[in-house]
């Protein structure tokens, strides 16, 4: 199967719908005209999943039309290579994150150190990767992947993005004053889009719950929430409610102390002038 992450997501969604319908594996299989083993394989993302079997199961579970269409599309695309599969250097962890981003209706970033990846300019991203010691070829590939990921913000039904960014991120001249200024101009521009909200966590707030590290919360079409915890060399996706809840609580707390759109824009403009004055 070309994309295990997509198969796992499909299986998880179908299992969620089966449980919501109050059906056991045996009963769901009976209604769908499938074997219990077949339904189990679909839910566990094992080999042999077909679009016809998934369609029969969706009818048996009484899934609403919009959701049914989405899951049928996922089943149809299981054996079609995704764009990120042709990029060298995309690890299994990154592939899983990209797949989650592609499905998410809303992504909320909390970042105390750098501009969120989905809002970075090419030059800013390059400066980050060069600081990590990546070679030219690796850096070019990583930038291409990150730029491609940003496409979810510009498609016909764009993903909603909310970014809580610490003020110290604006102060740091990543890549030098010119690159830093370009990045802030870009943030000012994209924050005017209806699907993007940037909110600054002022230094005047002092300590806040977003200082522990970078993470993102992804809201999925099926109502589930996934959290991505990001570190330099690794990342982890969490989707169990006890694991996800603390991150939701963090976002609620930050929403109460972060600057609103108007004040955020004023602060971005002030730091933009500061970096421009250094040119």
């Amino acid at each position: 199967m070309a994309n295990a992450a997509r198969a796992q997501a499909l299986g998880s969604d179908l299992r969620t719908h089966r449980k919501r319908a109050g059906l056991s594996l045996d009963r769901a299989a009976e209604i769908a005209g499938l074997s219990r083993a077949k339904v189990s394989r679909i839910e566990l993302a094992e080999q042999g999943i077909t679009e016809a079997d998934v369609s029969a199961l969706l009818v048996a579970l009484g899934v609403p039309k919009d959701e049914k269409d989405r899951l049928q599309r996922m089943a149809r695309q299981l054996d079609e290579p995704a764009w990120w599969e042709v990029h060298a250097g995309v690890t299994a962890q990154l592939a899983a994150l990209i797949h989650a981003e592609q499905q998410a209706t809303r992504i909320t970033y909390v970042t105390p150190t750098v501009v969120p990846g989905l809002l970075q300019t090419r030059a800013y991203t390059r400066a980050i990767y060069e600081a990590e010691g990546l070679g030219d070829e690796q850096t070019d590939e990583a930038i291409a992947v990150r730029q491609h990921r940003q496409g979810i913000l510009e498609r016909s039904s764009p993903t909603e993005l909310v970014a809580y960014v610490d003020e110290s991120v604006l102060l740091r001249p990543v890549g030098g004053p010119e690159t830093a200024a370009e990045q802030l101009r870009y943030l000012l521009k994209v924050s005017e889009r209806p699907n993007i909200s940037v909110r600054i966590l002022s230094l005047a707030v002092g300590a806040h719950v977003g200082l522990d590290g970078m993470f993102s919360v992804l809201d999925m079409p099926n109502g589930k929430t996934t959290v991505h915890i990001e570190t330099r060399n690794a990342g982890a996706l969490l989707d169990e409610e006890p694991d996800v809840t603390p991150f939701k609580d963090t976002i609620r707390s930050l929403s109460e102390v972060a600057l609103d759109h108007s004040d955020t824009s004023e602060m971005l403009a002030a730091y933009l002038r500061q970096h421009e004055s250094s040119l």
Side-chain angles (χ1 to χ4, degrees):
M1 189 175 299
N3 194 306
R6 280 181 285 177
Q8 289 166 1
L10 175 62
S12 176
D13 286 354
L14 289 170
R15 182 166 55 253
T16 297
H17 282 294
R18 177 175 61 78
K19 290 181 177 180
R20 285 177 180 171
L23 299 176
S24 65
L25 273 173
D26 289 327
R27 182 56 179 156
E30 181 183 355
I31 298 173
L34 303 172
S35 69
R36 185 186 191 280
K38 173 77 75 174
V39 175
S40 179
R41 283 199 301 273
I42 292 173
E43 291 189 1
L44 295 175
E46 296 177 350
Q47 294 288 340
I49 300 176
T50 69
E51 183 183 351
D53 290 339
V54 171
S55 295
L57 189 55
L58 289 169
V59 172
L61 300 179
V63 177
K65 184 181 185 307
D66 288 348
E67 177 70 353
K68 179 181 175 183
D69 290 345
R70 182 182 73 86
L71 294 175
Q72 284 178 321
R73 186 165 58 251
M74 286 179 66
R76 189 161 51 249
Q77 295 172 345
L78 283 179
D79 292 315
E80 299 175 5
W83 65 258
W84 56 87
E85 294 174 334
V86 302
H87 282 280
V90 175
T91 64
Q93 289 178 341
L94 179 55
L97 171 61
I98 293 173
H99 178 261
E101 289 175 344
Q102 294 288 317
Q103 298 297 314
T105 56
R106 177 186 175 107
I107 300 175
T108 304
Y109 266 109
V110 174
T111 171
T113 54
V114 295
V115 171
L118 293 181
L119 296 179
Q120 290 179 6
T121 63
R122 294 182 67 89
Y124 189 97
T125 300
R126 181 174 295 281
I128 294 293
Y129 283 125
E130 288 179 347
E132 293 179 2
L134 267 65
D136 290 342
E137 186 175 341
Q138 286 179 297
T139 297
D140 289 343
E141 185 68 26
I143 291 172
V145 171
R146 182 157 292 182
Q147 290 286 306
H148 210 149
R149 286 168 58 196
Q150 293 176 2
I152 62 173
L153 303 177
E154 300 178 353
R155 58 194 181 189
S156 57
S157 297
T159 303
E160 182 180 355
L161 186 142
V162 179
Y164 291 97
V165 182
D166 194 78
E167 182 181 349
S168 61
V169 174
L170 312 183
L171 177 63
R172 184 173 295 108
V174 172
E178 184 174 354
T179 294
E182 178 192 38
Q183 178 64 73
L184 295 189
R185 279 193 293 270
Y186 183 70
L187 286 181
L188 277 166
K189 178 182 178 181
V190 298
S191 64
E192 295 301 324
R193 295 181 190 172
N195 63 308
I196 297 177
S197 173
V198 179
R199 299 187 62 186
I200 302 301
L201 295 158
S202 170
L203 292 174
V205 171
H208 57 75
V209 291
L211 291 175
D212 284 345
M214 182 183 299
F215 68 88
S216 55
V217 174
L218 300 90
D219 296 324
M220 299 301 180
N222 62 1
K224 295 180 66 175
T225 299
T226 297
V227 171
H228 180 250
I229 303 173
E230 188 170 342
T231 62
R232 177 180 176 184
N233 295 318
L237 288 171
L238 312 174
D239 57 15
E240 296 296 330
E241 191 60 32
D243 298 325
V244 168
T245 296
F247 295 94
K248 290 182 177 179
D249 292 342
T250 292
I251 289 172
R252 278 193 290 270
S253 176
L254 293 178
S255 69
E256 296 174 357
V257 298
L259 299 181
D260 61 17
H261 173 75
S262 177
D263 289 340
T264 288
S265 295
E266 288 185 12
M267 182 171 285
L268 286 170
Y271 277 107
L272 170 58
R273 292 191 294 269
Q274 178 176 318
H275 290 302
E276 288 177 333
S277 69
S278 300
L279 295 175

